[in-house]
Amino acid sequence: MVGSNILFVDNCKTFIENAVNAFSQIGVQYTLCFAESDTEAWSLLQGDHQLSPLPQIMLIDINAEGINGIDLINKIRNNFELKSILIFVISNINNNENKLAALNLNIAGYMSKPFGNEEIISFFSTLNDYWNSIEFSSENK
């Protein structure tokens, strides 16, 4: 999946910086794109600033203030061009209602947000290994 986009929807600048550093340290071969809100993410998926190629993977903190993550995931799952995006929810807030709603929208996983530098590197290294072991559609988007 070299050269593909990953869309990261989170408004925590510290966590985003740590994620970028982790991606660099473990040699992730993807282009990491960021959105700080569900509206900005939707614009990158279907709006005036649409990513090309469309991301095959998305990481989202659905519990972050200012992000209506469940609504965004629902819109993605109801869009023919986007519904195959592999969506991972990462959050430091344990909201069972949002967790159940996200799982019912066929997300790939709901995980606790890591905090320490080594935890973050280990977390993204594990995800990277997973992403590199699965097969994505060969269709160009």
Side-chain angles (χ1 to χ4, degrees):
M1 217 181 83
V2 173
S4 294
N5 290 321
I6 295 176
L7 179 56
F8 201 134
V9 185
D10 198 327
N11 54 17
C12 178
K13 293 187 186 323
T14 302
F15 187 71
I16 290 170
E17 289 172 11
N18 290 337
V20 169
N21 290 336
F23 271 54
S24 176
Q25 286 184 35
I26 60 178
V28 174
Q29 299 293 312
Y30 313 104
T31 301
L32 196 52
C33 306
F34 298 97
E36 291 186 9
S37 69
D38 52 303
T39 305
E40 185 180 350
W42 188 249
S43 178
L44 293 173
L45 295 170
Q46 287 289 284
D48 296 336
H49 301 95
Q50 185 174 2
L51 295 171
S52 181
L54 285 170
Q56 291 181 308
I57 298 170
M58 189 169 139
L59 303 165
I60 181 172
D61 185 345
I62 63 171
N63 296 310
E65 189 172 326
I67 298 176
N68 188 341
I70 297 301
D71 183 53
L72 178 60
I73 296 169
N74 195 39
K75 286 167 59 173
I76 291 167
R77 292 298 182 234
N78 287 309
N79 183 296
F80 182 77
E81 287 184 353
L82 305 174
K83 67 181 180 180
S84 66
I85 294 175
L86 196 61
I87 300 173
F88 294 89
V89 171
I90 53 174
S91 183
N92 60 351
I93 297 172
N94 190 10
N95 180 321
N96 284 331
E97 184 178 328
N98 279 349
K99 182 177 184 178
L100 182 59
L103 290 169
N104 284 331
L105 289 170
N106 198 28
I107 61 166
Y110 193 103
M111 299 163 284
S112 294
K113 207 181 247 191
F115 287 102
N117 189 46
E118 292 202 18
E119 265 186 335
I120 291 171
I121 292 170
S122 176
F123 176 82
F124 284 113
S125 181
T126 300
L127 282 178
N128 187 51
D129 289 345
Y130 173 69
W131 297 333
N132 286 314
S133 67
I134 61 174
E135 292 186 31
F136 290 89
S137 168
S138 60
E139 180 180 316
N140 290 333
K141 293 185 177 184

